Amino acid sequence: MTETPAPVAVRLRGITKTFGSNTVVRPLDLDIRDGEFFSILGPSGCGKTTLMRMITGFESPTDGSVELAGRDVSKVPTRDRDLNMLFQSYALFPHLSVYENVAFELRVRRTPKAELDTRVREALELVRLADFGDRKPNELSGGQRQRVALARAVVGRPAVVLLDEPLGALDQKLRKEMQFELKRMQREVGITFIYVTHDQEEALTMSDRIAVMSEGRVLQVASPIDIYDAPASRFVAGFIGSCNLIPARLEAGRAVTSGAGAIPADTAEAATRGLADGAEVVVAVRPERVTLHADPAAAPAGAVRGVISARVFLGDEWTVHVDAQGLTLTVQVPSGETGAALAALADGAEVAVSWTTAAGRILPAVDQTSGDAAGATATVTAGPTSEGAAA
Ligand SMILES: Nc1ncnc2c1ncn2[C@@H]1O[C@H](COP(=O)(O)OP(=O)(O)OP(=O)(O)O)[C@@H](O)[C@H]1O
Ligand SMILES: [Mg+2]
């Protein structure tokens, strides 16, 4: 399937931000396409808000350029950039009705009355608050207030809306609902959304593409599926979802660990990415791709033997820790047949685990970084680890 890619809505070239001696965004290139739901995902303090503020013009880059729809806006003030931003902590005007809150910007721009009314009604319709125009913000629930803020952000139909952790203040259930709503809204209006979050699940659910950031760098830009299944670095593998990261070395075309010997890993794929014999690597295996064999004698050849060190029942699945020759592997077991067999076992029971070669993704042991913070994102812990999401 060949699709013509949509035109570029936002293009960043060599964008950099330094506060004093602290470089918080490192020279960074990024293309965000028209109509895309594009997420920027990364831990607290990695530079997400700073990057957003440079796109909006609230912050001027130390170096580099910002283009919107093919036009260099590096020197253009925010009000003349065709965008709107919804902040991490937004505020509605408490004394104005919902309608007037949404209409505010259009009034400032002296939009003709009839047009203003149509646009405000459309925006309220979009966020499903058509009947709430007369209410004051304090007569709304948290989720409804959030919707008003969204209506306000899109009412002027800017080309780009930037949203900085807009759901942060909401409880878990409301957050989930709003994720669907936001996605639906974005589809309906076709506006490019740039969405900042440190919640990996949120990014995976809503985005067309995700940029994973760490310490001022974009480490990978890809679709949610590729970010999850084909992480390009140890940091990305460990940050998105939970992942077993098994230290190993490439020897004679195999991945060999110090304790468990050769383990299944996709060496052919690693070779295409320049990882050759002698390289220190980690083999990244998702817990749901590991099969647990309650009877080690019946396990396939190449399975790794171990003992159960911990089990947690989660309803639809079990999370099981298996200690195997110096490795602690996390295994996700669906509560079906295997789950039932597992329930009958005790901690300390001998089991085996296996996974397919394709499930073992080989990554450099130390993330490649350039500049002065080399190695800072890859804390190589002594011994094997299972790094969960750092959210
Ligand atoms: N005006 C400023 N002056 C000095 N340092 C700043 C300024 N703004 C941000 N920083 C620093 O830049 C780094 C990145 O901050 P930023 O707000 O972009 O992070 P973030 O990824 O949005 O984090 P969070 O998820 O917590 O919102 C932080 O170390 C922060 O302390
Ligand atoms: Mg922030």
Side-chain angles (χ1 to χ4, degrees), residues 48-49 88 164-165:
K48 304 179 296 294
T49 298
Q88 217 157 352
D164 193 348
E165 308 231 20

Side-chain angles (χ1 to χ4, degrees), residues 264 285 289-293 299-304 329 331 352-356 359:
V285 191
R289 298 192 71 176
V290 181
T291 306
L292 185 102
H293 306 278
V304 178
L329 297 170
V331 188
V353 289
S354 67
W355 58 89
T356 63

Side-chain angles (χ1 to χ4, degrees), residues 19 22 24 43-50 59 88 165 198:
F19 292 111
N22 191 13
V24 301
S44 186
C46 72
K48 304 179 296 294
T49 298
T50 305
E59 200 77 73
Q88 217 157 352
E165 308 231 20
H198 60 249

Side-chain angles (χ1 to χ4, degrees), residues 160-215:
V160 180
V161 173
L162 299 100
L163 305 100
D164 193 348
E165 308 231 20
L167 308 183
L170 304 179
D171 70 48
Q172 185 65 13
K173 186 160 174 286
L174 210 47
R175 224 181 139 101
K176 285 257 147 65
E177 281 172 26
M178 283 301 292
Q179 288 174 11
F180 281 102
E181 284 289 294
L182 262 175
K183 183 77 197 160
R184 173 192 62 81
M185 258 184 56
Q186 191 262 345
R187 284 266 154 79
E188 263 180 60
V189 293
I191 295 175
T192 307
F193 270 29
I194 307 179
Y195 190 91
V196 160
T197 180
H198 60 249
D199 180 335
Q200 32 123 358
E201 192 186 304
E202 195 163 286
L204 290 174
T205 342
M206 294 197 293
S207 319
D208 295 315
R209 286 192 306 156
I210 300 173
V212 181
M213 267 188 95
S214 167
E215 303 191 343

Side-chain angles (χ1 to χ4, degrees), residues 37-388:
F37 197 122
F38 190 93
S39 292
I40 299 172
L41 175 67
S44 186
C46 72
K48 304 179 296 294
T49 298
T50 305
L51 184 60
M52 298 281 265
R53 289 171 58 82
M54 291 195 286
I55 298 172
T56 59
F58 293 128
E59 200 77 73
S60 53
T62 308
D63 205 355
S65 66
V66 180
E67 268 180 36
L68 295 179
R71 164 174 166 243
D72 190 330
V73 296
S74 303
K75 304 223 154 44
V76 173
T78 304
R79 65 174 181 278
D80 297 329
R81 298 185 186 193
D82 189 10
L83 46 75
N84 212 332
M85 180 155 173
L86 188 58
F87 290 97
Q88 217 157 352
S89 57
Y90 65 92
L92 302 176
F93 299 113
H95 57 289
L96 294 183
S97 67
V98 165
Y99 184 100
E100 286 303 327
N101 262 284
V102 176
F104 189 81
E105 185 193 315
L106 300 182
R107 289 211 193 281
V108 170
R109 284 200 259 142
R110 303 189 188 287
T111 307
K113 203 163 179 259
E115 188 190 337
L116 176 142
D117 189 60
T118 310
R119 290 233 213 155
V120 172
R121 284 182 197 286
E122 272 173 13
L124 287 176
E125 195 95 22
L126 186 70
V127 298
R128 304 196 165 146
L129 287 177
D131 299 331
F132 289 73
D134 295 333
R135 299 243 192 131
K136 291 277 170 58
N138 67 359
E139 296 165 338
L140 300 174
S141 73
Q144 289 163 342
R145 277 199 287 270
Q146 186 65 56
R147 282 163 211 247
V148 177
L150 277 168
R152 204 171 53 174
V154 300
V155 72
R157 295 290 161 116
V160 180
V161 173
L162 299 100
L163 305 100
D164 193 348
E165 308 231 20
L167 308 183
L170 304 179
D171 70 48
Q172 185 65 13
K173 186 160 174 286
L174 210 47
R175 224 181 139 101
K176 285 257 147 65
E177 281 172 26
M178 283 301 292
Q179 288 174 11
F180 281 102
E181 284 289 294
L182 262 175
K183 183 77 197 160
R184 173 192 62 81
M185 258 184 56
Q186 191 262 345
R187 284 266 154 79
E188 263 180 60
V189 293
I191 295 175
T192 307
F193 270 29
I194 307 179
Y195 190 91
V196 160
T197 180
H198 60 249
D199 180 335
Q200 32 123 358
E201 192 186 304
E202 195 163 286
L204 290 174
T205 342
M206 294 197 293
S207 319
D208 295 315
R209 286 192 306 156
I210 300 173
V212 181
M213 267 188 95
S214 167
E215 303 191 343
R217 290 191 179 81
V218 168
L219 299 183
Q220 190 170 4
V221 181
S223 69
I225 291 174
D226 283 347
I227 287 279
Y228 189 82
D229 282 340
S233 62
R234 181 186 177 126
F235 179 87
V236 174
F239 189 69
I240 317 290
S242 84
C243 198
N244 292 294
L245 296 171
I246 307 164
R249 168 199 281 272
L250 296 184
E251 278 175 22
R254 303 179 311 166
V256 179
T257 70
S258 55
I263 57 165
D266 194 349
T267 48
E269 188 269 343
T272 66
R273 290 187 296 125
L275 288 166
D277 269 6
E280 297 292 338
V281 297
V282 289
V283 177
V285 191
R286 297 281 180 201
E288 71 272 21
R289 298 192 71 176
V290 181
T291 306
L292 185 102
H293 306 278
D295 177 6
V304 178
R305 287 184 177 230
V307 298
I308 293 179
S309 59
R311 296 174 302 168
V312 180
F313 181 59
L314 297 168
D316 55 344
E317 66 187 32
W318 290 79
T319 297
V320 184
H321 287 181
V322 175
D323 288 348
Q325 285 125 60
L327 308 171
T328 296
L329 297 170
T330 303
V331 188
Q332 203 171 305
V333 182
S335 335
E337 228 168 275
T338 324
L342 183 71
L345 296 174
D347 283 358
E350 286 188 27
V351 293
V353 289
S354 67
W355 58 89
T356 63
T357 303
R361 185 169 172 84
I362 299 176
L363 300 169
V366 177
D367 282 341
Q368 299 297 310
T369 50
S370 54
D372 49 39
T377 56
T379 25
V380 183
T381 44
T385 53
S386 162
E387 289 174 16

